[in-house]
């Protein structure tokens, strides 16, 4: 079984639960940023990046990201990467492939989240350390 699809499914499900269960926002000293430009390859691979800072928690933490264009209700999940929460600022970069006809170079909207899967009984619950929405520019690479 490949790890990336399982991680993507887990993060997607956790993000959905978190959207219903946890308020978005950052504790003092926690943040996530999104760079103003992102790369769009000819094969549809999108690479998003930025920085994050989070405080230690009790479960694994990830930086998840999504991009939308034209219809902001349609978001395309772009990867997910493990985060190190030690109070220090770190860089993040997520890549994911969408249909090359789906996204075009130009204006887009990105959402990035720093999310912890905190142990809670049988199912870990998502806890958001920071969330950021930003308008960006997709640039052909």
């Amino acid at each position: 079984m490949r790890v990336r699809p399982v991680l993507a499914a887990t993060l997607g499900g956790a993000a959905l639960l978190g959207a219903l269960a946890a308020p978005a926002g950052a504790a003092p000293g926690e943040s996530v940023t999104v760079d103003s430009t992102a790369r769009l390859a000819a094969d549809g691979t999108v690479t998003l990046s930025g920085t994050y800072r989070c405080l230690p928690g009790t479960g694994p933490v990830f930086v998840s990201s999504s991009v939308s264009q034209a219809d902001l209700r349609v978001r395309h999940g772009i990867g997910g990467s493990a985060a190190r929460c030690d109070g220090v600022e770190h860089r993040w970069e997520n890549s994911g492939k969408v249909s090359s006809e789906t996204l075009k170079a130009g204006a887009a909207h990105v959402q990035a989240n720093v999310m912890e899967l905190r142990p809670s009984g049988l199912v870990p619950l998502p806890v958001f350390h920071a969330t950021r929405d930003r308008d960006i520019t997709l640039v052909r690479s």
Side-chain angles (χ1 to χ4, degrees):
M1 178 180 285
R2 293 182 32 179
V3 173
R4 283 187 154 249
V6 172
L7 177 60
T10 301
L11 290 175
L16 179 60
L17 282 173
L20 300 173
E30 297 189 317
S31 63
V32 62
T33 69
V34 177
D35 292 341
S36 61
T37 59
R39 296 188 310 269
L40 174 62
D43 70 353
T45 299
V46 176
T47 302
L48 305 172
S49 58
T51 64
Y52 71 91
R53 179 189 325 255
C54 52
L55 302 175
T58 57
V61 180
F62 303 93
V63 178
S64 63
S65 56
S66 64
V67 64
S68 57
Q69 200 172 48
D71 185 349
L72 297 180
R73 296 172 298 171
V74 178
R75 293 185 186 170
H76 305 278
I78 306 298
S81 52
R84 182 174 50 205
C85 291
D86 55 8
V88 176
E89 186 174 88
H90 299 280
R91 294 276 313 155
W92 65 268
E93 182 175 286
N94 292 341
S95 292
K97 192 171 183 178
V98 297
S99 169
S100 60
E101 294 82 35
T102 303
L103 299 173
K104 306 291 182 204
H109 185 81
V110 171
Q111 183 178 77
N113 299 293
V114 178
M115 180 193 63
E116 176 183 354
L117 293 176
R118 191 168 288 168
S120 176
L122 295 174
V123 178
L125 294 177
V127 175
F128 288 88
H129 288 257
T131 297
R132 176 71 188 256
D133 284 277
R134 182 170 189 190
D135 292 327
I136 61 134
T137 301
L138 284 174
V139 177
R140 283 276 179 201
S141 60

